[in-house]
Amino acid sequence: MKFFVDTAEIDQIKELNDLGMVDGVTTNPSLIAKSGRDILEVTKEICDMVSGPVSAEVVALDAETMLAEGRKLAKIADNIAVKVPLTWAGLQTCKTLSDEGTMVNVTLCFSANQALLAAKAGATFISPFIGRLDDLNMDGLELIEDIRTIYDNYGFETNILAASIRSANHMSECAKIGADVATAPPAVIKAMANHVLTDKGLAAFMADAEKAGIKIM
Ligand code: G3P
């Protein structure tokens, strides 16, 4: 499973990228607003740092303006994936941009039917939002499973990009299901390293090392 990092914070992307943990980056208008940066400038900086796909989202609602915005975003770098919402206008934009050879990430997906439409429209990525379904007492991971089944049934090449990931557990569950990509905030990716038994075991090793006066340097 590929790891995308879901942020527009340059320092945080760099730290994970230097460790080889970043196969791509996803942003959205909320993350760009949080960064306080200009969308074109910060997206260019991210694209220069990361070799994988970098999602940048349109802000128009009608297909014509969305397409113009998408074409402008696509000019930033070769690794841009234009992000469009899963609306009818978004699907129209997806089809045109995909036909032009631009990667498209269709976002705000909450149902298997929506994912089926995005694949038919030629999306490179479909972004089902796990956490926001869980927030409503629905099963976000079940949606990932359903989309995996449907895409495999018919050989759709659209990549399942699990999004709205809130916990380390979501990451391993997505990997078990076979999501192609999971995008997560840096803190969630870092939390994957944590285990209470690692902390406990390390404390015991350190205590024994101290008692025995073990020194390496
Ligand atoms: O990738 C989509 C993500 O940014 C949404 O996450 O936690 O706001 O639902 P969240």
Side-chain angles (χ1 to χ4, degrees), residues 7-8 10 13 25 27 42-50 54:
T7 185
I10 294 286
I13 297 168
V25 173
T27 65
V42 75
T43 305
K44 172 87 175 84
E45 251 180 75
I46 297 169
C47 289
D48 288 346
M49 187 196 311
V50 171
V54 175

Side-chain angles (χ1 to χ4, degrees), residues 5-181:
V5 60
D6 198 29
T7 185
E9 305 297 331
I10 294 286
D11 293 352
Q12 297 183 16
I13 297 168
K14 185 172 184 329
E15 185 191 357
L16 289 168
N17 194 43
D18 288 349
L19 274 178
M21 302 280 181
V22 177
D23 300 304
V25 173
T26 50
T27 65
N28 60 38
S30 307
L31 294 170
I32 296 288
K34 199 169 157 204
S35 78
R37 303 276 314 273
D38 172 77
I39 181 170
L40 300 176
E41 275 175 29
V42 75
T43 305
K44 172 87 175 84
E45 251 180 75
I46 297 169
C47 289
D48 288 346
M49 187 196 311
V50 171
S51 53
V54 175
S55 291
E57 187 161 344
V58 299
V59 290
L61 292 176
D62 66 286
E64 195 185 337
T65 320
M66 230 186 245
L67 183 58
E69 289 181 353
R71 285 178 175 147
K72 185 167 178 180
L73 291 170
K75 283 203 186 106
I76 294 174
D78 289 345
N79 55 336
I80 283 284
V82 174
K83 212 170 175 188
V84 299
L86 212 155
T87 58
W88 204 250
L91 291 170
Q92 289 169 324
T93 307
C94 172
K95 173 74 175 126
T96 307
L97 288 173
S98 299
D99 286 350
E100 290 173 2
T102 297
M103 289 187 284
V104 179
N105 176 357
V106 181
T107 189
L108 290 168
C109 170
F110 294 95
S111 77
N113 274 334
Q114 289 181 317
L116 194 45
L117 289 175
K120 298 292 272 186
T124 310
F125 301 102
I126 180 70
S127 290
F129 276 32
I130 300 177
R132 292 192 194 183
L133 282 169
D134 289 356
D135 289 344
L136 297 178
N137 275 335
M138 298 169 91
D139 191 340
L141 289 167
E142 192 175 287
L143 175 59
I144 304 291
E145 257 169 0
D146 288 348
I147 300 171
R148 181 75 284 157
T149 302
I150 290 168
Y151 282 7
D152 289 350
N153 279 350
Y154 299 100
F156 285 119
E157 286 174 7
T158 299
N159 292 280
I160 301 173
L161 196 174
S164 184
I165 284 189
R166 306 274 177 77
S167 68
N169 190 48
H170 275 157
M171 293 295 276
S172 47
E173 289 301 318
C174 283
K176 278 170 21 189
I177 292 165
D180 300 288
V181 190

Side-chain angles (χ1 to χ4, degrees), residues 201-215:
L202 187 58
F205 288 157
M206 291 304 101
D208 288 343
E210 170 109 31
K211 243 188 276 161
I214 298 172
K215 288 210 181 336

